[in-house]
């Protein structure tokens, strides 16, 4: 049931020309950045060769690329997530889901899975670009995999957050702006100190971005997603007048 | 022996804010019966239908579809019903076939039965040649047919139709009414309308709502016997139609 809904949402996302335009723009930016970083690296390579503990190609090129994608995901995910529930309501198709034998949890998980599948494709395309480094040098596979995990967890977090705001907003545009505002605020918390900093997805992503795999960071993302998904399920149940 | 009950609603109450939109409405539907839910705009028809279909939960009262209580076994109860809301719930960027298959999968039709159910639903709604068309390209009448097809594709025991003929031209209205009568042979149908003659044409029984309360619940003969209700409804109806014109 969750798969049926996820597949339909993925189909809807891909049938919108705006999705293809956003994906093309994203690939262009990433490709351009990748080449620029590669060029910079090649220029300083001779100096780096004389250093004892020189940074490798992966940390100099792949890690900044993942960092850039993390920032782009922050901005793009709300544009994809805004439609998930708010648009179904606006187009009156929501009643088809509400009167089908689906629980609120199944609807939310189906929509979450659909969006995450799209974002996973974006991330895999970027990771494939990073893997290209293996053609010319010995790539740090561990660091690339760590970044893949980090990006995927970050995308899941933004998707869950975006889904919640799509459920509470009447208009998709309002859903996108609210989700973006909250995501940016959370991102900026990284600059604050103490406990607030620990609340920022960026803080936890930075650890994974530098190759530090810690269960605390993974637990943060799992909790973050669970929190927003539960909040969405609760909102939908409440809206039906349920208990 | 009377036919088995497919849907029963007891003492439904629903508030919108502090206003009681539906007030103590009870009704029962038996297999093979077409029930007309009659009332002018704002009488609480759509809210009642939303509760019967499980889209809204009543503030008090209960709904059971095929003996499954919608509050406790919503998954089993909803699998036995098909709903066409006032605006057909259609994805404009989907092809008719994809739309219907998606609706069937949501209602747990098995993979093996999908082609057969799709064919049957399209044949009943006159959509056999329209499977590859985008829903957004269809006329209002055909969109309504797709809306009905998505409500009956899983061959539910109960079909709920909210004002299915509104905004259609006379030929389309005739076709849709014929289809509703045909549906009444195999399923139970609840049809909401503000047109008394529509109820007389296609329904076996009627429930009349006024300001959220049920003021009549019985057969058409009983309705005709209570001439005061009929005449007051006809007056309401005439007012509504003159407004429309």
């Amino acid at each position: 049931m969750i798969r049926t809904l996820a597949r339909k949402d993925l189909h809807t996302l891909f049938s919108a020309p705006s999705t293809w335009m956003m994906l093309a723009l994203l690939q262009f930016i990433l490709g351009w950045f990748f080449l620029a970083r590669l060029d910079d690296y090649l220029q300083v390579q001779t100096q780096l060769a004389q250093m004892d503990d020189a940074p490798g190609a992966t940390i100099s090129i792949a890690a900044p690329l993942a960092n850039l994608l993390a920032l782009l995901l922050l901005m793009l995910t709300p544009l994809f997530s805004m439609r998930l529930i708010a648009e179904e309501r606006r187009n009156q198709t929501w009643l088809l889901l509400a009167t089908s034998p689906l629980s609120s949890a199944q609807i939310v998980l189906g929509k979450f899975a659909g969006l995450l599948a799209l974002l996973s494709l974006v991330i895999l395309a970027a990771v494939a670009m990073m893997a290209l480094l293996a053609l010319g040098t010995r790539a740090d596979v561990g660091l690339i995999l760590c970044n893949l995990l980090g990006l995927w967890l970050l995308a899941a977090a933004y998707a869950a957050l975006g889904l919640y705001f799509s459920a509470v907003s009447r208009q998709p545009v309002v859903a996108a702006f609210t989700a973006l505002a909250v995501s940016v605020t959370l991102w900026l918390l990284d600059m604050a100190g103490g406990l607030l900093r620990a609340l920022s997805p960026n803080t936890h992503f930075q650890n994974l971005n530098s190759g530090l795999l810690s269960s605390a960071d993974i637990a943060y993302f799992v909790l973050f997603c669970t929190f927003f998904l539960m909040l969405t399920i609760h909102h939908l149940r409440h809206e039906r007048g349920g208990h | 022996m009377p036919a088995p009950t497919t849907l029963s609603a007891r003492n439904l109450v629903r508030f919108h804010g502090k206003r009681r939109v539906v007030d103590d409405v009870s009704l029962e539907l038996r297999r093979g019966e077409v029930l007309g839910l009659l009332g002018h705009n704002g009488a609480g028809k759509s809210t009642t239908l939303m509760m019967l279909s499980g889209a809204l939960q009543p503030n008090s009262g209960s709904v059971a579809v095929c003996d499954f209580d919608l509050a406790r076994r919503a998954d089993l109860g909803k699998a036995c019903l098909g709903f066409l809301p006032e605006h057909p719930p259609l994805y404009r960027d989907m092809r008719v076939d994809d739309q219907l298959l998606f609706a069937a999968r949501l209602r747990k039709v098995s993979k093996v039965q999908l082609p057969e159910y799709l064919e049957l639903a399209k044949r009943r709604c006159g959509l056999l040649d329209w499977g590859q068309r985008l829903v957004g390209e269809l006329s209002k009448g055909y969109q309504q047919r797709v809306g009905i097809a998505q409500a009956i594709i899983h061959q539910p025991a109960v079909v709920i139709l909210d004002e299915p003929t509104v905004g259609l031209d006379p030929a389309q209205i005739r076709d849709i009414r014929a289809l509703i009568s045909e549906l009444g042979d195999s399923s139970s149908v609840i049809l909401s309308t503000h047109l008394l003659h529509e109820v007389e044409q296609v329904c076996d029984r009627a429930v009349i709502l006024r300001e959220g309360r049920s003021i009549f619940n019985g057969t058409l003969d009983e309705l005709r016997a209570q001439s005061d209700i009929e005449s007051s409804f006809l007056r309401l109806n005439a007012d509504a139609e003159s407004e429309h014109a």
Side-chain angles (χ1 to χ4, degrees):
Chain A
M1 218 32 65
I2 294 174
R3 212 175 54 191
T4 304
L5 198 54
R7 214 164 49 188
K8 194 279 294 173
D9 271 353
L10 199 57
H11 174 270
T12 310
L13 281 166
F14 273 120
S15 61
S18 57
T19 304
W20 290 99
M21 275 164 61
M22 280 194 271
L23 292 182
L25 185 68
L26 191 68
Q27 280 306 303
F28 175 76
I29 294 172
L30 290 176
W32 177 77
F33 185 81
F34 179 72
L35 287 176
R37 289 297 298 195
L38 187 64
D39 201 34
D40 289 350
Y41 184 76
L42 290 175
Q43 279 184 14
V44 294
Q45 200 186 19
T46 42
Q47 285 112 298
L48 286 175
Q50 292 160 4
M51 286 168 63
D52 287 340
D53 194 18
T58 318
I59 196 97
S60 309
I61 301 168
L65 184 72
N67 220 341
L68 174 70
L69 181 55
L71 191 65
L72 292 172
L73 281 175
L74 166 91
M75 293 184 272
L76 283 183
T77 312
L79 294 178
F80 293 125
S81 67
M82 67 178 183
R83 296 161 165 248
L84 292 174
I85 294 177
E87 185 140 298
E88 295 248 18
R89 269 202 251 266
R90 200 176 57 169
N91 294 345
Q92 320 266 359
T93 46
W94 180 250
L95 278 178
L96 175 61
L97 303 182
T99 57
S100 293
L102 290 172
S103 64
S104 301
Q106 282 175 316
I107 297 179
V108 169
L109 289 177
K111 299 213 152 269
F112 176 67
L115 177 56
L116 197 52
L118 173 81
L119 296 176
S120 300
L121 288 176
V122 172
I123 293 168
L124 283 177
V127 170
M129 218 181 277
M130 295 176 198
L132 281 178
L133 288 174
L135 292 176
T137 177
R138 227 182 62 212
D140 184 345
V141 180
L143 182 62
I144 292 181
L145 288 179
C146 211
N147 270 292
L148 170 68
L149 179 69
L151 285 171
W152 194 73
L153 288 170
L154 193 67
Y158 289 143
L161 185 135
L163 187 60
Y164 172 67
F165 286 105
S166 184
V168 295
S169 312
R170 291 280 144 203
Q171 296 291 332
V173 180
V174 178
F177 275 112
T178 340
L180 185 64
V182 175
S183 308
V184 169
T185 311
L186 283 171
W187 183 269
L188 291 176
L189 284 182
D190 186 36
M191 294 172 193
L195 189 66
L196 281 178
R197 191 167 178 269
L199 286 176
S200 172
N202 195 26
T203 313
H204 300 275
F205 173 72
Q206 289 308 326
N207 290 341
L208 288 157
N209 184 235
S210 58
L212 182 69
L213 185 64
S214 142
S215 53
D217 297 322
I218 296 174
Y220 165 84
F221 283 112
V222 173
L223 281 174
F224 188 99
C225 292
T226 314
F227 175 73
F228 277 103
L229 292 177
M230 296 291 281
L231 218 54
T232 316
I233 295 168
H234 176 77
H235 177 80
L236 294 182
R237 280 198 190 140
H238 180 74
E239 199 177 51
R240 280 186 196 193
H243 312 287
Chain B
M1 205 177 91
T5 306
T6 48
L7 181 145
S8 78
R10 294 190 198 293
N11 311 103
L12 296 182
V13 175
R14 177 80 199 189
F15 288 92
H16 278 181
K18 282 186 176 171
R19 202 163 64 88
R20 228 176 230 259
V21 189
V22 175
D23 189 3
D24 200 24
V25 170
S26 298
L27 54 89
E28 205 163 77
L29 187 68
R30 295 187 180 278
R31 182 176 293 162
E33 200 173 46
V34 180
L35 174 78
L37 190 63
L38 199 59
H40 59 94
N41 294 338
K45 298 192 298 284
S46 289
T47 309
T48 306
L49 292 189
M50 297 266 269
M51 286 191 280
L52 296 181
S53 62
L56 274 184
Q57 288 188 347
N59 291 116
S60 73
S62 65
V63 179
V65 182
C66 297
D67 294 330
F68 298 115
D69 188 331
L70 283 191
R72 261 174 267 149
R73 295 314 312 263
D75 53 336
L76 295 175
K78 286 179 180 180
C80 302
L81 64 83
F83 180 45
L84 171 71
E86 213 173 333
H87 302 278
L90 305 176
Y91 297 95
R92 298 178 61 81
D93 54 356
M94 267 192 180
R95 294 182 194 286
V96 171
D97 278 354
D98 294 335
Q99 165 81 49
L100 296 178
L101 288 173
F102 174 61
R105 285 194 194 102
L106 283 184
R107 273 76 165 263
K108 300 182 176 169
V109 174
S110 72
K111 215 173 176 178
V112 190
Q113 288 171 315
L114 279 177
E116 181 196 334
Y117 278 36
L118 174 69
E119 166 92 13
L120 189 67
K122 283 201 297 183
R123 189 175 325 132
R124 292 176 95 174
C125 299
L127 290 166
L128 279 176
D129 299 329
W130 299 77
Q132 293 306 308
R133 294 284 290 269
L134 285 176
V135 170
E137 288 175 355
L138 300 180
S139 67
K140 188 164 165 45
Y142 271 91
Q143 286 191 1
Q144 195 72 346
R145 283 171 191 236
V146 181
I148 296 179
Q150 65 78 28
I152 63 170
I153 187 154
H154 52 305
Q155 304 190 356
V158 179
V159 181
I160 301 177
L161 308 171
D162 193 356
E163 309 228 10
T165 55
V166 164
L168 302 184
D169 66 38
Q172 290 168 333
I173 291 177
R174 200 184 51 227
D175 290 349
I176 300 276
R177 283 183 190 157
L179 178 62
I180 294 168
S181 302
E182 190 195 317
L183 284 178
D185 297 337
S186 51
S187 317
S188 321
V189 181
I190 298 184
L191 163 79
S192 93
T193 177
H194 58 273
L195 303 172
L196 184 62
H197 67 89
E198 189 159 79
V199 169
E200 285 178 325
Q201 268 179 28
V202 292
C203 298
D204 306 304
R205 284 197 308 120
V207 170
I208 301 184
L209 292 183
R210 185 189 288 160
E211 289 167 5
R213 284 178 163 273
S214 158
I215 55 166
F216 175 83
N217 187 348
T219 63
L220 290 190
D221 290 333
E222 287 166 357
L223 177 63
R224 284 183 200 107
Q226 296 191 22
S227 55
D228 55 329
I229 290 180
E230 188 172 8
S231 59
S232 70
F233 195 81
L234 277 176
R235 204 170 53 243
L236 279 170
N237 198 23
D239 290 350
E241 274 176 3
S242 62
E243 259 174 45
H244 215 68

